[in-house]
Amino acid sequence: MTANPYQFGPEFAAAMDARDPLSRFRDRFHFPTTKSGEPCIYLCGHSLGLQPTSGSDYLQQELRDWAQLGVEGHFHARHPWMPYHRLLSEQTAALVGAEPIEVVVMNSLTVNLHLMMASFYRPTRDRYKILIERSAFPSDQYAVQSQIKYHGFDPATSLLELTPREGETCIRDEDIESRVDREGESIALIMLGGVNYATGQFFDLASITKAGHRKGCVVGFDLAHAAGNLPVRLHDWGPDFAVWCSYKNLNGGPGCVAGCFVHERHARAWNLPRFAGWWGHDEGTRFQMGPNFRPMPGAEGWQLSNPPILALASLRASMDVFAEAGIENLRAKSTSLTGYLEFLLQQAKSERFSIVTPSEPARRGAQLSIRLPRAGRGLCDRLTSLGVIGDWREPDTYRIAPAPLYNSYQDVYVFVERFLAGLS
Ligand SMILES: Cc1ncc(COP(=O)(O)O)c(C=O)c1O
């Protein structure tokens, strides 16, 4: 058994902050303030990440170029808009463990999920099912059900849902694999959240991909809660596609442009059906305005429209901070910070709440989901009004996310102090 690295008391939190090599990044973000002007205890980066202080400079640059250059900005802006989305390719690839050709930032998450399913969900009479978590984010549920119906199948018989075992809160990875082994021949697509939004559970994506491919299934992941939260190695793990948003752990801003991964093995799969738009067309001939679509190789071939430069500018600001901090360094701090949150909550030995997120650090990221069956919503609202910000998910879950880029051990300490005081 490893020794417990944590101690009670505010001095410990202060000492940990003093020796935290990433603490300098805290000042690179705007913290919302309370009515009296104090910075909030913001533990909600799993929902909306904070604004980088550099964000407005990145946006101003594009606004200035637009004002001064108009349409000429496409070629003559300081960062020309025509290839602007590529400014994000290397960093995005590094963030999700991909090759640059495998990633693109475009659209929003649910749109990208539909685009991916248009290409990769190809049901046949014998193989038509989609495997998903029952507790998947509703948008994913709606998207997969609508795709099933779009292809003329019935979600009642075509949607396979994974649930935890009786009395457990999270789905066991081995149960996913054995389900795939048992029913894989009828499964067209495995589509799981990399980190489940409600429980914070991080699935074993490499093993699930392997199990799925062994049975001939297509494998895709929604990494909304994984991207920027923990390191993933999409190229090596080998899923066919993945999608994610950039307004949570990636701090791109509300509704910011999303990410998409298509494995290199499909980079030149010209025969895959896809919903096409002109920005996915071969860039060498895009402006010849011909009638026939010829896609770019790689993920860029799934683009539809010319990209939203202002949203990309905002995302660049945050991706530059991310690249500077390094996802592996962030993960090391995150593991420690979430472990500290768990340690402090457990000391309360209260029966009024329980932690549903797995206790093994390898099976979770920067989030603990606290089940509060009685009066939890009221407590969450009261804490929010005091400037302590997590979020509530019906019916009974209070989600708290210590983001390693900008949260401190003292944030976690103060949160637990106020949370426990509010419980009593
Ligand atoms: C896991 C997950 N999937 C999908 C979505 C929907 O994202 P969007 O509204 O950007 O399409 C969210 C939003 O929070 C999410 O958490």
Side-chain angles (χ1 to χ4, degrees):
M1 215 166 99
T2 48
N4 167 28
Y6 307 115
Q7 294 167 24
F8 301 119
E11 308 77 19
F12 176 77
M16 289 299 280
D17 286 332
R19 75 168 91 110
D20 169 14
L22 298 179
S23 61
R24 66 200 160 91
F25 286 99
R26 184 176 175 85
D27 290 340
R28 310 270 289 272
F29 290 87
H30 291 291
F31 276 73
T33 50
T34 61
K35 285 193 191 111
S36 56
E38 297 294 310
C40 290
I41 304 294
Y42 192 85
L43 296 164
C44 213
H46 60 286
S47 182
L48 182 69
L50 291 181
Q51 182 186 138
T53 52
S54 57
S56 70
D57 286 346
Y58 284 69
L59 282 162
Q60 286 300 335
Q61 177 70 48
E62 303 318 319
L63 288 171
R64 262 197 315 273
D65 286 348
W66 178 25
Q68 287 166 9
L69 299 168
V71 70
E72 288 296 299
H74 281 110
F75 299 99
H76 302 300
R78 178 156 175 221
H79 303 293
W81 302 328
M82 278 289 294
Y84 195 91
H85 63 279
R86 294 233 175 87
L87 295 173
L88 285 154
S89 303
E90 296 258 334
Q91 286 173 347
T92 304
L95 186 81
V96 295
E99 298 296 324
I101 196 173
E102 295 176 312
V103 294
V104 65
V105 277
M106 61 180 188
N107 311 313
S108 54
L109 191 165
T110 308
V111 172
N112 289 346
L113 180 54
H114 274 299
L115 290 179
M116 290 296 100
M117 288 197 284
S119 294
F120 292 106
Y121 175 51
R122 312 289 314 287
T124 62
R125 201 168 53 90
D126 299 324
R127 187 189 281 280
Y128 53 92
K129 295 182 183 168
I130 299 183
L131 181 68
I132 192 172
E133 316 112 277
R134 177 165 295 164
S135 64
F137 192 81
S139 197
D140 293 6
Q141 280 275 357
Y142 306 152
V144 299
Q145 288 179 32
S146 64
Q147 288 277 342
I148 287 170
K149 289 185 199 157
Y150 179 76
H151 286 281
F153 291 86
D154 180 358
T157 48
S158 299
L159 192 63
L160 295 180
E161 293 180 313
L162 295 157
T163 52
R165 290 186 191 184
E166 186 73 31
E168 298 186 5
T169 55
C170 292
I171 301 164
R172 296 195 195 189
D173 288 306
E174 74 246 35
D175 288 354
I176 303 178
E177 287 173 47
S178 58
R179 185 88 182 255
V180 172
D181 281 343
R182 274 198 321 275
E183 300 186 56
E185 263 123 53
S186 65
I187 297 175
L189 171 65
I190 298 171
M191 218 306 290
L192 300 182
V195 170
N196 180 274
Y197 86 101
T199 63
Q201 176 183 3
F202 178 40
F203 292 112
D204 181 350
L205 303 184
S207 302
I208 292 167
T209 305
K210 218 184 272 166
H213 284 170
R214 224 173 20 237
K215 286 286 177 177
C217 316
V218 170
V219 180
F221 296 123
D222 171 353
L223 300 182
H225 289 266
N229 180 358
L230 21 72
V232 290
R233 300 211 321 271
L234 291 182
H235 180 82
D236 293 345
W237 295 346
D240 297 279
F241 71 85
V243 292
W244 59 94
C245 58
S246 60
Y247 44 79
K248 301 178 188 295
N249 295 290
L250 292 178
N251 312 308
C256 191
V257 63
C260 185
F261 164 92
V262 180
H263 198 277
E264 198 172 22
R265 77 178 85 90
H266 303 298
R268 289 177 175 76
W270 311 127
N271 55 347
L272 271 180
R274 68 178 91 194
F275 289 167
W278 77 313
W279 223 256
H281 185 88
D282 166 40
E283 64 186 341
T285 55
R286 186 184 294 147
F287 282 87
Q288 290 174 9
M289 304 314 222
N292 298 321
F293 177 69
R294 210 173 73 214
M296 307 260 300
E300 288 190 27
W302 273 265
Q303 294 174 104
L304 297 179
S305 305
N306 75 102
I309 299 301
L310 298 180
L312 290 174
S314 174
L315 184 55
R316 281 186 60 224
S318 108
M319 292 295 283
D320 282 350
V321 182
F322 247 93
E324 204 182 320
I327 187 74
E328 297 291 345
N329 299 329
L330 288 165
R331 174 64 170 158
K333 176 175 169 187
S334 171
T335 305
S336 166
L337 207 54
T338 299
Y340 179 55
L341 172 62
E342 182 180 45
F343 165 78
L344 291 178
L345 286 169
Q346 281 171 344
Q347 56 135 353
K349 298 192 177 24
S350 169
E351 293 188 350
R352 304 242 344 245
F353 69 87
S354 57
I355 298 172
V356 301
T357 309
S359 55
E360 304 94 312
R363 294 182 65 214
R364 69 186 184 199
Q367 176 183 329
L368 290 186
S369 296
I370 303 170
R371 181 163 285 160
L372 269 172
R374 277 178 292 118
R377 163 119 238 172
L379 174 58
C380 170
D381 290 347
R382 277 198 306 285
L383 288 175
T384 302
S385 69
L386 296 171
V388 177
I389 302 179
D391 74 1
W392 185 254
R393 283 291 172 265
E394 296 296 347
D396 57 10
T397 305
Y398 190 27
R399 299 187 304 174
I400 296 299
L405 249 185
Y406 50 73
N407 282 127
S408 64
Y409 289 81
Q410 288 171 94
D411 286 341
V412 169
Y413 181 83
V414 173
F415 163 74
V416 175
E417 200 179 46
R418 305 233 176 124
F419 171 73
L420 295 178
L423 265 187
S424 53

